[in-house]
């Protein structure tokens, strides 16, 4: 039997009855778009994150677009973001016609380097071509970036702080979640994310009521909000009064129903992921160049368990012959990819992003990884070292 990289099957077996019942209820209800589960999920997510407002949407990429649009980011604006991330982070900036500016990462956590962010903002300001408008902070592999430092820099420079929590929804730093610092948070419910549905899905969270209203409108073709209509006399159904250019980015009722069930077991799954990651740390620390470092006082949700080794590609091949899958997140940083080459970079370029792209490898990681399977993975790595 081969070892799964992420074992969605084990989780499915655990909550099969609940999921089937929840999906059947939506099917029978006929309310497939914006049905009761969507509102119920949004309320449950707000409670989980102590966020004032949660707006669900079609996927994590749309969540980022909606966040940028809600804050009025536009052509001529610079949006600072990492290059060592999933494409969507920079793609959305380019897609709305603004300019991604690539900032390097810290070598220990792979998250944005506050010092390089400061230097990058200064460079863009000095050059005067783009207006520094926002920063997208990616919480890579499951853990939060250095929000206290990034927040000081963002405030000093008047940047909107967007937390891209697609990989780290549920993570904490000093017991707090990103909205403690960030203006807005986006996440993804792609099946392989720590909290995933059975298709595409995403959400946005904010503590600002006015932004939440705008997001509800943007998600649904710019439909008029209560505030838009305030006092206005209209003979028309407000559903067909459009106050801004929006999009269709609704979450399906069926996906919401699935997520409601998955959210119930999510806190326990996070604890299991932490326990499994700590066991990997103990058993691998003398076998690899670097086991993952967690930011002080941070709790990661361990979307990925990512190590560094020499001869990374040989290790991947060796693991494969032992039936063990691995993955490289990310082999080519965005600033090295064709559509993104011409966008600005912080001063000195992005040496850490480039180095890490050649060194990292992610091992099987999920809440249902048993010790026997984990030992097999560790033994295979030990065997690889022995053969050198
Ligand atoms: C997965 C991911 C996204 C995009 O989410 P989708 O739901 O696939 O659109 C955005 N940012 C990061 C960092 C991601 O890992």
């Amino acid at each position: 039997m081969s070892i799964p990289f992420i074992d969605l099957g084990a989780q499915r077996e655990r909550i099969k009855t609940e999921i089937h019942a929840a999906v059947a209820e939506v099917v029978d209800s006929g309310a497939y778009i914006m049905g009761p589960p969507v509102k119920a999920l949004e309320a449950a997510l707000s409670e989980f994150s102590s966020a004032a407002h949660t707006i669900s949407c079609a996927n994590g990429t749309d969540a980022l677009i909606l966040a940028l649009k809600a804050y009025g980011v536009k052509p001529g604006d610079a949006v600072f973001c990492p290059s060592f991330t999933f494409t969507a982070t920079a793609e959305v900036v380019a897609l709305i016609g603004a300019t991604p500016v690539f900032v390097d990462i810290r070598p220990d956590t792979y998250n944005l380097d506050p010092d390089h962010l400061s230097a990058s903002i200064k460079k863009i300001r000095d050059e005067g071509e783009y207006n520094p408008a926002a920063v997208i902070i990616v919480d890579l592999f499951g853990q939060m970036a250095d929000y206290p430092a990034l927040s000081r820099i963002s405030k000093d420079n008047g940047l909107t702080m967007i937390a891209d929590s697609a990989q780290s929804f549920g993570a904490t730093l000093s017991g707090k979640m990103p909205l403690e610092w960030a203006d807005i948070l986006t996440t993804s419910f792609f099946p392989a994310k720590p909290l995933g549905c059975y298709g595409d899905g995403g959400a946005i969270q904010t503590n600002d009521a006015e932004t939440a209203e705008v997001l509800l409108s943007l998600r649904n073709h710019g439909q008029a909000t209560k505030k838009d209509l305030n006092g206005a006399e209209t003979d028309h159904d407000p559903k067909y009064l459009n106050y801004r250019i929006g999009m269709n980015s609704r979450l399906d009722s069926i996906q919401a129903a699935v997520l409601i069930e998955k959210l119930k077991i999510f806190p326990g799954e996070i604890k299991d992921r932490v326990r499994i990651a700590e066991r990997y740390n103990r058993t691998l620390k003398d076998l690899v160049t670097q086991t993952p470092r967690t930011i002080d006082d941070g709790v990661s949700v361990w979307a990925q368990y990512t190590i560094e080794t020499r001869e990374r590609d040989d290790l991947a091949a060796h693991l494969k012959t032992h039936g063990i899958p691995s993955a490289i997140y990310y082999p080519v940083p965005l600033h090295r990819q064709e559509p993104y080459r011409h966008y600005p970079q912080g001063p000195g370029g992005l040496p850490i992003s480039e180095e890490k792209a050649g060194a990292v490898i992610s091992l099987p990681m999920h809440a249902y990884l048993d010790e026997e399977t984990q030992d097999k993975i560790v033994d295979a790595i030990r065997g690889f070292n022995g053969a050198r």
Side-chain angles (χ1 to χ4, degrees):
M1 224 186 77
S2 72
I3 295 172
F5 188 68
I6 296 174
D7 193 351
L8 293 173
Q11 186 200 50
R12 195 167 57 238
E13 278 307 312
R14 177 178 168 194
I15 51 172
K16 200 172 196 160
T17 315
E18 292 85 344
I19 298 252
H20 282 193
V23 171
E25 198 177 321
V26 177
V27 172
D28 291 344
S29 79
Y32 307 129
I33 302 288
M34 292 288 122
V38 174
K39 270 221 154 23
L41 172 69
E42 291 174 341
L45 290 169
S46 291
E47 195 190 328
F48 173 79
S49 312
S50 313
H53 307 277
T54 300
I55 297 93
S56 60
C57 63
N59 55 68
T61 307
D62 278 6
L64 284 164
I65 296 176
L66 290 163
L68 291 166
K69 285 194 165 290
Y71 278 93
V73 176
K74 57 186 182 306
D77 285 347
V79 178
F80 300 86
C81 66
S83 170
F84 190 67
T85 177
F86 180 62
T87 330
T89 307
E91 182 184 38
V92 293
V93 178
L95 195 68
I96 66 162
T99 300
V101 177
F102 292 115
V103 177
D104 215 358
I105 51 169
R106 290 196 43 92
D108 46 1
T109 60
Y110 312 119
N111 278 327
L112 274 185
D113 177 353
D115 294 335
H116 199 239
L117 175 64
S118 277
S120 304
I121 298 168
K122 184 174 185 313
K123 177 172 175 250
I124 292 298
R125 239 187 243 303
D126 291 348
E127 289 171 358
E129 195 177 345
Y130 305 107
N131 164 49
V135 54
I136 301 179
I137 298 162
V138 178
D139 295 334
L140 202 71
F141 299 156
Q143 69 167 326
M144 285 174 63
D146 185 353
Y147 278 78
L150 294 167
S151 160
R152 270 192 300 278
I153 297 161
S154 302
K155 288 218 166 71
D156 288 350
N157 289 280
L159 301 185
T160 297
M161 266 180 101
I162 301 170
D164 179 351
S165 281
Q167 298 183 15
S168 56
F169 189 70
T172 56
L173 180 60
S174 310
K176 294 172 181 130
M177 289 184 176
L179 274 194
E180 181 77 19
W181 297 274
D183 296 295
I184 192 161
L185 175 150
T186 67
T187 194
S188 163
F189 303 126
F190 183 81
K193 309 284 184 185
L195 178 63
C197 55
Y198 289 158
D200 275 311
I204 309 149
Q205 296 188 312
T206 176
N207 288 329
D208 185 67
E210 215 165 296
T211 306
E213 280 270 289
V214 170
L215 285 165
L216 285 173
S217 168
L218 286 170
R219 159 181 91 174
N220 203 5
H221 303 293
Q223 196 180 86
T225 65
K226 283 196 199 80
K227 192 175 172 221
D228 291 332
L229 293 172
N230 200 14
E233 292 281 335
T234 171
D235 303 330
H236 310 290
D237 182 348
K239 210 168 157 184
Y240 299 107
L241 290 177
N242 311 99
Y243 272 68
R244 52 189 66 74
I245 306 285
M247 56 205 282
N248 170 7
S249 186
R250 299 170 301 235
L251 181 73
D252 293 348
S253 302
I254 288 182
Q255 299 306 338
V258 168
L259 282 162
I260 288 170
E261 295 308 320
K262 289 213 191 186
L263 185 60
K264 290 177 189 166
I265 59 167
F266 189 47
E269 287 183 333
I270 294 175
K271 288 203 180 87
D272 291 337
R273 284 171 177 274
V274 169
R275 176 177 48 74
I276 290 161
E278 283 172 354
R279 189 164 186 274
Y280 258 145
N281 285 347
R282 285 195 303 277
T283 49
L284 286 174
K285 74 175 186 314
D286 297 326
L287 298 178
V288 301
T289 314
Q290 188 168 305
T291 50
R293 314 260 188 90
T294 309
I295 189 170
D296 284 349
D297 215 13
V299 176
S300 175
V301 298
W302 295 100
Q304 303 298 339
Y305 185 85
T306 305
I307 58 169
E308 292 182 30
T309 59
R310 282 172 297 128
E311 300 159 323
R312 182 232 6 229
D313 297 325
D314 292 343
L315 174 62
H318 174 86
L319 291 175
K320 199 171 170 202
T321 63
H322 286 74
I324 298 166
S326 62
I328 311 295
Y329 301 118
Y330 293 92
V332 185
L334 296 180
H335 70 284
R336 290 279 182 198
Q337 306 221 29
E338 195 48 44
Y340 299 99
R341 270 184 218 282
H342 64 285
Y343 287 115
Q345 301 169 13
L350 301 130
I352 310 292
S353 299
E354 286 170 15
E355 182 203 319
K356 296 308 179 188
V360 293
I361 177 167
S362 302
L363 302 177
M365 180 72 213
H366 53 85
Y368 302 89
L369 186 63
D370 59 50
E371 296 195 353
E372 193 189 328
T373 309
Q374 196 176 28
D375 288 342
K376 258 189 216 157
I377 297 163
V378 174
D379 286 345
I381 295 172
R382 191 177 291 113
F384 173 76
N385 289 349
R388 299 283 101 187

